[in-house]
């Protein structure tokens, strides 16, 4: 599967952005999807993930209550709605995919897209 992330940009603190990840391939509905981010000088960190049906979601503590992950299997797309953005959310955001035999969220993801930069100004 190939992944293409988009939607990054510059936003003021307290604002919102919606990231989108478009996936190629006819088996998108069998993939769990995730969002990760990497801030300058820091390691990549988990942000959110969703199972292939959308029935299970998982968030990092730092974004819980502010970010929402969703997917549209008919459009091969996963979204990350980011609200109440903070300067510490500034990072390159990556989407990832992992094929699953069951409707669960994996620990590791096998496929990665290029990143999209999110900059939150104070």
């Amino acid at each position: 599967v190939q992944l293409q992330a988009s939607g990054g940009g510059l936003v003021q603190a307290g604002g919102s952005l919606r990231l989108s990840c478009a996936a190629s391939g006819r088996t998108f509905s069998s993939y769990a999807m995730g969002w990760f981010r990497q801030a300058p000088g820091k390691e990549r960190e988990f942000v959110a993930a969703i199972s292939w049906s959308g029935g299970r979601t998982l968030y990092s503590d730092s974004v819980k209550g502010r970010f929402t992950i969703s997917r549209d299997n008919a459009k091969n797309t996963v979204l990350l709605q980011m609200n109440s953005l903070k300067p510490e959310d500034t990072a390159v955001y990556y989407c990832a995919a992992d094929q699953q035999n069951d409707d669960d969220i994996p620990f590791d993801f096998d496929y990665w897209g290029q990143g999209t930069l999110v900059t939150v100004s104070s």
Side-chain angles (χ1 to χ4, degrees):
V1 64
Q2 293 184 326
L3 306 172
Q4 180 79 30
S6 61
L10 174 64
V11 64
Q12 289 188 334
S16 298
L17 276 177
R18 188 176 73 169
L19 304 184
S20 178
C21 178
S24 65
R26 294 177 292 177
T27 59
F28 175 75
S29 59
S30 66
Y31 285 81
M33 301 296 296
W35 286 97
F36 292 74
R37 67 186 181 187
Q38 186 167 20
K42 295 187 178 181
E43 293 186 354
R44 186 172 63 194
E45 65 173 356
F46 169 78
V47 175
I50 188 167
S51 63
W52 55 255
S53 76
R56 293 177 182 265
T57 57
L58 185 67
Y59 297 91
S60 69
D61 288 342
S62 61
V63 307
K64 197 175 298 182
R66 300 187 298 120
F67 291 11
T68 302
I69 189 170
S70 62
R71 66 188 297 158
D72 185 337
N73 287 342
K75 297 182 179 179
N76 283 16
T77 300
V78 62
L79 302 175
L80 185 68
Q81 179 66 43
M82 305 186 296
N83 298 329
S84 302
L85 283 161
K86 306 174 181 180
E88 51 264 42
D89 294 319
T90 295
V92 177
Y93 283 70
Y94 299 89
C95 64
D98 194 77
Q99 194 163 25
Q100 293 291 292
N101 292 322
D102 51 15
D103 192 26
D104 210 341
I105 293 173
F107 183 76
D108 294 315
F109 288 80
D110 286 339
Y111 302 94
W112 294 82
Q114 95 297 347
T116 185
L117 177 63
V118 172
T119 303
V120 184
S121 63
S122 56

